[in-house]
Amino acid sequence: MSYSTEGAWPGSRRLRRLAEETPPQRDRWVDLLRALAIVLVVIGHWLATVVTYDQDGFGGRHVLEVLPWAQALSWLFQVMPVFFLVGGFANAASLRSSMSQGVRWQEWLFGRADRLLRPTTAFLVMVGASAMVARALGAGPELIGRAVWLATIPLWFLAAYLPVTVLTPAMHALHRRWGLAVPVVLAILVGVGDVARLGVQLPYGSAANFLLMWLAVHQVGFAWQDGRLPTRWTAALPLAAGGAGCLVLLTAAGPYPVSMVAVPGAQVKNTSPPTIALLSLAAAQTGLVLLLRKWGNRWLQRTRPWTAVVAVNAVILTMFLWHMTAVVVVAIALYPTRIFPQPQVGTAQWLLLRLPWLAILAAVLAFLVMLFGWMEWRASPRSGRVRAEKDRSRRPAARQRADTALTIAGLAGAQAGLVGVTLAGPEFHAPAGLPAGALLAYLAGVVAMRLIQWRADRT
């Protein structure tokens, strides 16, 4: 879904009008799932974060380290497979629509990636600038390093989602020819990777699963979008039950941990790299999604819930990128001043304090979204984007080849930068708190993408 604001922040009237103007053929359930997935991930991260402060300064732990019984709850909050599923649906619909209007795949890719990189660039620049200001004001490098590391945790999602988006034209071509056989093969390869790592003990034996698993889920989204994925309850129910059954079997009798999120210190993690257990959870979630689809679309015909979905999706990436920054801000503001108590994790008092903790974080995040969400909200109308893409497609062949090369180089630089930032630890990296090489690679990639737009605006 695309939104136009003519540079203004979205108001309630405009959101309501956009909601009312939604085409009747739009699958609103997909938009709700996208919003719900991100909201649940945000809440899950907030609940899992344990901040401590004492005479030695700030510290922290993951709640699943302290409360092993809570690891099963990760089955409810690990909904990134749902996001990749609806991402495949949306990318397939967008690609098919653009190509039917004569837009080259390179131009589609530029537009799709640009929507991801704009708010991400604003986020990285602000984090780096804030780290430099904090260091100039006398903050310790250890504190800055930990704060930057915590704030940039959400970038792992971009590091996984960007290459999946880049591969969409090629993977969609495979889908048109082979259909559901493609995700089946990808799932088998994920299993082979698990055997290589957990069975044969081959170093980096399942490293490819970082891409293969998410490609498999994304590919199922293609099949959902064009109707190749059976959506009747007679197919959806066995998929949900089968995925859940495999998950229980793999975690109860197999080598896979119960937690569907990474627990620090664990020898095997279901997300790093992704495992067949996580893929089983994705299958169960897909079946459940299909079972609830008709009910969800009927409910979303109501103006109020659909308007709320439109509002969240307008700034969905901004909200996700900044949600751990809210944790940093609240921790620095409340813990050294002793305003927020620190009861023992797992006690009744600690559990009760999770509610005001979430409320304070939500208020800070809302403020951050108000400050930075305009970069995501300011996206051009879809018709304008298609016209611009068509104009680029009509340029001389040499110019098109140059733009394609710049796009590929830019995306490679941005991807290298994202991976570098996500792999960096909590150490302080001078001067901006971020690994200098990774940050430079990312910014160089973004500049290459901007150069394409600059050249287009001059012609």
Side-chain angles (χ1 to χ4, degrees):
M1 178 174 289
S2 300
Y3 310 94
S4 174
T5 66
E6 291 130 21
W9 180 256
S12 58
R13 290 184 180 179
R14 179 166 292 178
L15 285 170
R16 188 181 183 89
R17 176 170 56 83
L18 284 169
E20 292 172 347
E21 293 176 353
T22 302
Q25 69 274 15
R26 186 175 188 89
D27 195 323
R28 301 183 180 200
W29 180 234
V30 172
D31 294 284
L32 174 61
L33 290 172
R34 181 191 298 111
L36 186 61
I38 292 299
V39 169
L40 284 176
V41 169
V42 168
I43 294 174
H45 281 172
W46 286 349
L47 289 175
T49 303
V50 177
V51 178
T52 60
Y53 183 80
D54 53 28
Q55 66 274 13
D56 296 324
F58 281 99
R61 299 187 70 183
H62 197 291
V63 72
L64 299 185
E65 291 182 272
V66 187
L67 304 176
W69 60 264
Q71 294 186 13
L73 296 177
S74 65
W75 293 19
L76 300 177
F77 289 97
Q78 176 54 280
V79 286
M80 271 305 170
V82 174
F83 191 93
F84 277 81
L85 176 71
V86 299
F89 186 107
N91 282 337
S94 173
L95 181 64
R96 287 164 61 95
S97 175
S98 294
M99 296 187 73
S100 69
Q101 298 179 60
V103 176
R104 299 167 65 240
W105 67 265
Q106 295 92 331
E107 309 302 337
W108 174 88
L109 180 57
F110 175 90
R112 211 68 174 174
D114 187 57
R115 292 175 61 187
L116 296 173
L117 296 179
R118 279 178 180 267
T120 304
T121 302
F123 170 74
L124 280 173
V125 169
M126 287 303 301
V127 167
S130 299
M132 294 175 70
V133 170
R135 190 73 183 102
L137 293 176
E142 183 178 350
L143 174 62
I144 296 173
R146 186 173 294 275
V148 169
W149 169 77
L150 189 63
T152 55
I153 284 176
L155 290 179
W156 77 264
F157 161 72
L158 268 299
Y161 193 72
L162 183 61
V164 169
T165 300
V166 169
L167 291 172
T168 291
M171 298 305 296
H172 195 263
L174 290 177
H175 167 74
R176 291 196 301 269
R177 178 160 187 174
W178 301 107
L180 286 169
V182 179
V184 169
V185 171
L186 291 170
I188 292 173
L189 292 176
V190 171
V192 170
D194 280 4
V195 171
R197 178 169 66 107
L198 302 176
V200 186
Q201 305 293 320
L202 182 67
Y204 306 105
S206 61
N209 286 4
F210 280 110
L211 179 62
L212 296 176
M213 187 274 177
W214 299 118
L215 273 179
V217 180
H218 194 256
Q219 204 78 11
V220 175
F222 294 169
W224 181 15
Q225 191 275 328
D226 69 3
R228 295 196 192 195
L229 181 67
T231 57
R232 298 183 302 275
W233 73 268
T234 52
L237 184 59
L239 180 61
C246 287
L247 181 59
V248 170
L249 182 63
L250 289 169
T251 54
Y256 302 97
V258 171
S259 177
M260 289 296 114
V261 299
V263 179
Q267 290 186 346
V268 179
K269 302 173 183 178
N270 282 314
T271 58
S272 184
T275 64
I276 201 70
L278 184 59
L279 194 56
S280 297
L281 176 65
Q285 291 175 341
T286 300
L288 185 61
V289 161
L290 298 178
L291 283 171
L292 297 176
R293 182 187 186 190
K294 288 185 178 180
W295 171 85
N297 275 319
R298 282 198 301 268
W299 180 64
L300 289 170
Q301 294 303 314
R302 301 178 182 180
T303 301
R304 286 186 178 180
W306 177 237
T307 303
V309 171
V310 170
V312 173
N313 275 291
V315 289
I316 192 74
L317 184 55
T318 303
M319 184 172 68
F320 182 74
L321 286 171
W322 289 93
H323 79 276
M324 292 305 290
T325 303
V327 174
V328 174
V329 172
V330 170
I332 292 175
L334 298 186
Y335 281 86
T337 58
R338 308 295 182 181
I339 294 176
F340 208 82
Q342 301 181 65
Q344 184 177 352
V345 177
T347 62
Q349 184 185 6
W350 180 84
L351 290 171
L352 288 174
L353 284 172
R354 292 289 88 183
L355 294 177
W357 169 254
L358 292 178
I360 295 169
L361 289 173
V364 173
L365 179 58
F367 177 73
L368 292 171
V369 170
M370 288 181 64
L371 285 179
F372 302 107
W374 62 272
M375 293 198 68
E376 185 175 1
W377 170 265
R378 197 180 56 178
S380 303
R382 173 169 163 69
S383 58
R385 283 205 314 274
V386 170
R387 284 196 298 272
E389 289 164 352
K390 280 186 174 181
D391 289 343
R392 285 197 293 267
S393 296
R394 296 190 183 111
R395 292 172 194 158
R399 175 72 176 275
Q400 290 182 15
R401 287 193 296 271
D403 286 351
T404 298
L406 273 176
T407 299
I408 295 173
L411 291 173
Q415 177 64 16
L418 289 172
V419 171
V421 172
T422 58
L423 292 179
E427 298 81 12
F428 176 71
H429 303 274
L434 298 162
L439 183 60
L440 288 175
Y442 177 86
L443 294 176
V446 170
V447 168
M449 300 283 287
R450 290 295 94 218
L451 180 60
I452 299 173
Q453 189 65 53
W454 177 77
R455 292 173 60 184
D457 292 341
R458 288 178 59 89
T459 57

